[in-house]
Amino acid sequence: MESPIHRIAVIYATAQGSTRDIAEFIADDLAGRGAQVELSDIEHAPELSRFDTVVLGSAVHDMALLPVATTYLHTNHTALAATDLWLFSVGLGPALRGPVGRVLARRVPKKIAALRDSVAPHEYHAFAGRFDRDRVSRPARTLHRLMGGGRYGDLRDWRAIRGWSARIAESLGLPEATTSIVQP
């Protein structure tokens, strides 16, 4: 007996591209395991009733998901509740170091926690993104250093992203990837 093909929507809201890159990586990994995957930015998201699983990611700004992601989650609450939802965010928090940074990195901001709890995803995971020094103001750079930051550039942990994607695949009973996905 042939196992069913899992239909997965990977939807993302990005500000500078980090979230899109992570969503693409997850979509490629799940497709490489035999799932039927559709990747879409949130503004062109497909009809959710066609999918068994939804993986939704958003960039984090001002300790909240992007407004377009928040609106999408509220607007599609009923459809998302009827599917296997996996939620991720991409921001600076997970990359913070030092005593203050480590505490902040483990905390889910209140707005994100409230939204996460309202849609009850299978799992939520926060990933670090890109933090380019030339794209942020001097006060933001100072705050970054005080919170335990210090590094700039691509702070994404591709091993953690691959591991989270593997957890999604395992929960769906998907086989090991047939090809190795190369991170950006």
Side-chain angles (χ1 to χ4, degrees), residues 27 32 46 48 54 56-57 67 108 110 124 130 156 164 175:
L48 295 176
V54 174
L56 195 145
V108 178
K110 287 181 183 180
Y124 164 77
R130 290 190 58 85
R156 293 172 288 190
W164 194 67

Side-chain angles (χ1 to χ4, degrees), residues 7-36:
R7 297 167 302 160
I8 303 171
V10 179
I11 303 168
Y12 63 89
T14 192
Q16 298 177 356
S18 289
T19 308
R20 179 195 61 238
D21 293 347
I22 291 171
E24 288 174 350
F25 182 89
I26 292 169
D28 288 347
D29 182 55
L30 295 172
R33 295 168 184 269
Q36 179 183 340

Side-chain angles (χ1 to χ4, degrees), residues 55-130:
V55 179
L56 195 145
S58 174
V60 174
H61 283 199
D62 298 323
M63 297 176 62
L65 299 181
L66 294 178
V68 68
T70 300
T71 299
Y72 182 84
L73 285 164
H74 286 301
T75 303
N76 294 284
H77 189 272
T78 302
L80 291 167
T83 189
D84 180 31
L85 175 65
W86 294 72
L87 185 63
F88 73 94
S89 64
V90 179
L92 183 58
L96 297 176
R97 303 290 181 254
V100 174
R102 281 192 296 274
V103 169
L104 293 174
R106 287 191 301 265
R107 294 180 69 202
V108 178
K110 287 181 183 180
K111 290 178 185 177
I112 295 174
L115 192 56
R116 174 203 61 201
D117 295 348
S118 77
V119 295
H122 186 94
E123 188 174 316
Y124 164 77
H125 199 290
F127 296 109
R130 290 190 58 85

